[in-house]
Amino acid sequence: MTASQFARQPYEGILTFGGQPHTRDLNGVDVAILGIPYDGATSNRTGTRFGPRAIREQSSLLWGYNNALQVAPFEQLRVVDYGDAEVVPVDILATQRTIERDSRMIVEHGSRLVSLGGDHSVTLPLLRSHARRYGPLGVVHFDAHPDTWDAEFGDCKYSHGTTFRRALEEGLVDRAAYLQIGIRGPTAGPQDYADALGLGARMITLDEAIVRGVADVCFEARERIGSRPCYISLDIDAVDPAFAPGTGTPEVGGFTSHQMLQLVRGLAGLNVVGADLVEMSPPWDPSQITAVLAANLVFEMLSLMAMSTG
Ligand code: MN
Ligand code: MN
């Protein structure tokens, strides 16, 4: 028996997501994974620029078969690790342009895209690329925060707290099919939530989700989105910081890891054309547990894509 007859061990080899090949050749590619190591738009502690590497590292433990959904995404889809978008740490507009360029390349080629953040500002250029191909999107936005502020820093229009207001203003999101799930925590006043509702969001607070249960929440999401092209944006701070401490703006009292996994699985059947996992910040994640969860949530997203492409 030679060494090549043994399965690759999780700690061997060059790091890519799930051990998938690193290439920018999109021919025949069903899903491209794109890292976006940018944290210049955060309002509190930084560190999400290290997120893509940490998630890739912990993804080496994904053995491949999803027992909950009975799907093997790496077998049923041709998944590649596209590498990282170029970022300009001191210039959010330049960074948005490079994210838009890379994501548009992938999306317009017909491949599906899963992005690893980065802070939540990276979602705006990603939504632009998807809406350009698919039209206004159904969006499931998991987060502790609505991210619908008009401005966080003076009159600056772009930060990780303004993403979804800008996306709604730009017509990237179908207001009838936009859900925020997991919203909680103190705000400066009642206006923050009122603003989100006024923009058309269906806000399912953490409290509502716990009272109703995960299955009922997912049922509503599937009903509202229907057959529309669907984008999932998952801010890891939707999860309780006891389970996911590695994030920049933690809010206590969130979902457990298991609830978060079940919430993503419960979207099975939707036509998931794109997804991102953002706000995972390794410097605040001493045991790597947040990165482990993030890698597994990305695996669930890939599983949904395997199921929605038949
Ligand atoms: Mn958040
Ligand atoms: Mn967010």
Side-chain angles (χ1 to χ4, degrees), residues 120 143-145 147 235 237-238 249 279:
H120 220 156
D143 208 318
H145 313 97
D147 295 351
D235 182 329
D237 71 28
T249 43
E279 298 285 346

Side-chain angles (χ1 to χ4, degrees), residues 120 141-147 160 183-184 235-238 247 249-251 278-279:
H120 220 156
H141 167 199
F142 295 105
D143 208 318
H145 313 97
D147 295 351
H160 73 158
I183 309 296
R184 65 185 185 276
D235 182 329
I236 198 70
D237 71 28
T247 197
T249 43
E251 300 288 352
V278 297
E279 298 285 346

Side-chain angles (χ1 to χ4, degrees), residues 107 110-112 129-137 229 271 273-274:
V107 170
S111 306
R112 299 189 183 214
S129 295
H130 285 82
R132 189 184 166 92
R133 178 177 172 98
Y134 297 104
L137 301 150
N271 178 23
V273 295

Side-chain angles (χ1 to χ4, degrees), residues 198-214:
L199 287 162
R202 167 65 178 115
M203 181 189 289
I204 301 178
T205 62
L206 192 291
D207 289 341
E208 180 183 341
I210 296 302
V211 168
R212 289 173 57 192
V214 165

Side-chain angles (χ1 to χ4, degrees), residues 211-284:
V211 168
R212 289 173 57 192
V214 165
D216 197 41
V217 168
C218 291
F219 178 81
E220 180 180 343
R222 294 195 307 272
E223 287 284 298
R224 282 182 184 268
I225 290 176
S227 60
R228 290 176 178 84
C230 172
Y231 188 94
I232 300 171
S233 187
L234 199 163
D235 182 329
I236 198 70
D237 71 28
V239 181
D240 195 288
F243 296 86
T247 197
T249 43
E251 300 288 352
V252 297
F255 294 119
T256 66
S257 303
H258 181 251
Q259 285 167 335
M260 194 68 248
L261 290 164
Q262 292 288 81
L263 281 161
V264 178
R265 290 171 186 153
L267 302 178
L270 289 176
N271 178 23
V272 180
V273 295
D276 62 56
L277 192 143
V278 297
E279 298 285 346
M280 194 271 126
S281 182
W284 305 95

